[in-house]
Amino acid sequence: MAALIDALNVKRKTVFEFENAPFYCMDADVSTPTARGGQTLVRLKMRNLLTGAVFDKTFKATEKFGEPDLQLVPATYLYSDGEGSHFLDQESFETLTLTPAMVGDALEFLVDGTLLQVHRYNGNPIALQLPQFVELSVTYAEPVVRGGSASGGDTKMARLETGIEVRVPPFIKEGDKVRVSTETRDFAGRA
């Protein structure tokens, strides 16, 4: 049987199960009463990992949550079609299919062979976790814009193989591979 987690012990970044769904704690606030006999309450800002919904809920400190059967599995992006996006599980070598809602904006960073992590809940894929940086090829680079950044350095706009546009230094040209942050969508260096 899975261990139980007291609501009082749920901290930021904790994953727990509530109402038969996995949740991720985004923030936790404990309020201790000043009156004698009052109950300690825990207010959690939490994200449902199945639906992506974010909400606040208050629990008694003694309430308990289960640990979800949640795994991170290394996988490689294969392709996308009308059914969804397909990934190869690097441990079991089975093909995992995620719906467009599960993949979301991550598809903009995916090219054949991209290595990433797939979240599995009770054995079923539910979401992706992209690496911090991805390497993509430049398919088009505009001419240099003089003074195009706040620091006064010259930059230019480049379109990458997945369609993302990022500002890059003037020495980057078509065909170069660049590293892009999956969080900020900014140029992070030459690959």
Side-chain angles (χ1 to χ4, degrees):
M1 181 175 161
L4 295 177
I5 305 167
D6 287 328
L8 190 60
N9 293 330
V10 174
K11 306 292 183 224
R12 208 168 159 260
K13 297 184 179 181
T14 301
V15 179
F16 59 96
E17 192 168 52
F18 174 66
E19 295 178 347
N20 296 319
F23 284 87
Y24 173 80
C25 177
M26 299 170 71
D27 196 24
D29 183 42
V30 178
S31 64
T32 307
T34 56
R36 193 181 274 206
Q39 289 188 342
T40 301
L41 299 176
V42 179
R43 182 177 178 91
L44 299 178
K45 182 175 184 177
M46 49 200 231
R47 168 175 281 136
N48 184 321
L49 294 177
L50 297 177
T51 64
V54 176
F55 56 92
D56 291 337
K57 188 155 175 72
T58 303
F59 300 94
K60 294 177 184 175
T62 57
E63 287 188 59
K64 297 188 182 304
F65 304 111
E67 282 189 27
D69 178 17
L70 193 64
Q71 300 171 318
L72 268 178
V73 179
T76 305
Y77 175 68
L78 298 174
Y79 63 95
S80 294
D81 60 16
E83 294 179 25
S85 297
H86 305 277
F87 302 85
L88 179 65
D89 183 325
Q90 294 295 302
E91 293 176 348
S92 67
F93 299 107
E94 68 178 299
T95 302
L96 307 173
T97 303
L98 278 76
T99 65
M102 292 176 187
V103 175
D105 292 341
L107 197 55
E108 296 176 340
F109 296 104
L110 299 178
V111 292
D112 293 347
T114 301
L115 187 61
L116 44 81
Q117 302 279 326
V118 173
H119 286 271
R120 291 181 92 164
Y121 176 64
N122 291 337
N124 300 317
I126 61 168
L128 294 179
Q129 181 173 325
L130 291 172
Q132 185 175 3
F133 300 102
V134 291
E135 293 182 2
L136 299 170
S137 295
V138 176
T139 58
Y140 172 75
E142 292 181 352
V144 176
V145 175
R146 299 285 174 206
S149 70
S151 63
D154 294 334
T155 62
K156 62 183 179 180
M157 191 60 75
R159 182 173 297 118
L160 307 179
E161 62 187 302
T162 59
I164 298 173
E165 292 186 349
V166 296
R167 287 224 161 265
V168 296
F171 57 83
I172 299 295
K173 56 188 179 301
E174 288 182 32
D176 285 353
K177 277 200 166 285
V178 295
R179 291 178 49 155
V180 178
S181 168
T182 57
E183 293 176 12
T184 63
R185 298 175 181 250
D186 290 334
F187 172 78
R190 192 181 248 170

